[in-house]
Amino acid sequence: MKTNHRRGFVANTPRDQSMWGRSKRLSEHAVGVSIGNDFTDGHRGMARAKRGAKKRLRALERLDARRVIRQELEEMVGDEES
């Protein structure tokens, strides 16, 4: 049988990422995301759950940056009107 790896190759077992979590300090508050320990939801495995949590954290960071910029612009426009 043809194999796609060298002789003697032994794959590393994947690291258990259950209960993984990450937090980020934003402008006014801190946000955190985490994944649970139940990976039996169809095709939603450990890697996809972690990827989704990381995407959520990045999205919250982007939204916070946009909110800060919007507030600064409103303050600048408010100062010019007075």
Side-chain angles (χ1 to χ4, degrees):
M1 174 182 237
K2 181 97 174 158
T3 57
N4 290 327
H5 52 77
R6 294 178 176 228
R7 286 181 196 219
F9 174 80
V10 177
N12 295 331
T13 56
R15 290 179 41 201
D16 185 19
Q17 297 289 325
S18 60
M19 308 305 286
W20 176 88
R22 189 69 44 98
S23 63
K24 185 97 175 168
R25 180 83 178 136
L26 299 180
S27 61
E28 294 180 357
H29 56 281
V31 296
V33 296
S34 64
I35 61 174
N37 196 21
D38 185 20
F39 303 115
T40 59
D41 189 17
H43 292 287
R44 189 114 186 125
M46 182 172 44
R48 287 188 183 196
K50 183 177 178 182
R51 183 175 66 189
K54 287 168 69 174
K55 282 179 154 183
R56 174 74 176 148
L57 187 60
R58 289 184 196 121
L60 290 172
E61 188 177 4
R62 271 196 318 274
L63 289 172
D64 183 65
R66 289 178 186 167
R67 184 184 55 78
V68 168
I69 291 171
R70 191 177 333 114
Q71 285 179 347
E72 290 175 357
L73 288 174
E74 288 175 358
E75 289 175 3
M76 289 173 58
V77 170
D79 291 342
E80 290 176 359
E81 291 177 357
S82 338

